[in-house]
Amino acid sequence: RRHTGGGAAWQWAGMTTRRPGRHVPDSGLRLASLADVPRITAITAATSDEPWSPDLIAQLIGQPGGWAVLTAPAGVGLGGFVLGRSVGGEAEIVNLAVAPEDRRQGLGGALLNAAILRAAGDRATALFLEVAVDNVAARALYDAAGFKIVGRRPDYYARPGNSRIDAIIMRRDLVSPEA
């Protein structure tokens, strides 16, 4: 069975953000706009060895099929974001990050759920992402959400000291009632 969300009619209403044994009472999920680029840029600066530029973030949000979701725990802190795009029946999470001070509150799971719902609402049949092979927490989150390893990108992510590390490509199938 497929889950559809109707593209433009897609809404957050009724979405729950749960992890086993845990509920996030106020993750503050909302669609991001170009006005949110400075906040997203600040989160990438706090979480990445290769932070994204404001121009790159704005370009992704502004392109056809591009989308971003922000979260802020109870409206404080930097929170987190997920950036993605949906094109040609497939969707991709291009970046998902939670500020270090806001981790371990279920925000990553809430953002991942939002991305899955958005991709399904855009009628994508599959959702892809890349994750560093050494990012144990993220890989566990994606595994629990039903993503499967489908490939590998050698030397994809930068690390301190001019080193590089491989990325694992993961995929989750999405279904709709028409199938």
Side-chain angles (χ1 to χ4, degrees):
R1 298 194 173 185
R2 288 188 184 208
H3 169 75
T4 61
W10 178 79
Q11 298 177 9
W12 295 109
M15 188 177 106
T16 59
T17 52
R18 295 189 176 167
R19 291 193 339 191
R22 191 153 186 195
H23 177 68
V24 180
D26 180 14
S27 59
L29 286 173
R30 66 177 175 81
L31 290 174
S33 70
L34 292 176
D36 296 307
V37 168
R39 184 178 189 176
I40 294 169
T41 303
I43 297 169
T44 68
T47 59
S48 177
D49 292 323
E50 293 180 301
W52 285 37
S53 73
D55 289 343
L56 184 59
I57 295 165
Q59 180 183 8
L60 179 67
I61 293 172
Q63 75 183 13
W67 43 266
V69 176
L70 274 178
T71 182
V76 298
L78 284 176
F81 69 88
V82 59
L83 296 171
R85 61 181 156 219
S86 302
V87 178
E90 293 183 342
E92 176 186 20
I93 293 173
V94 293
N95 201 336
L96 187 156
V98 175
E101 65 273 17
D102 294 319
R103 292 181 180 161
R104 306 202 51 82
Q105 299 178 47
L107 299 180
L111 289 163
L112 183 58
N113 287 338
I116 291 166
L117 289 173
R118 177 61 194 234
D122 287 346
R123 302 190 186 285
T125 58
L127 179 59
F128 292 87
L129 59 84
E130 285 106 8
V131 60
V133 295
D134 65 349
N135 191 338
V136 176
R139 288 181 61 183
L141 177 69
Y142 302 142
D143 286 340
F147 284 82
K148 304 294 182 211
I149 297 171
V150 296
R152 191 176 187 108
R153 295 191 196 281
D155 300 327
Y156 191 74
Y157 290 106
R159 288 295 188 254
N162 234 7
S163 66
R164 311 275 312 165
I165 192 163
D166 293 357
I168 294 173
I169 304 166
M170 301 185 84
R171 171 190 171 122
R172 177 181 164 161
D173 290 330
L174 306 172
V175 292
S176 75
E178 296 87 40

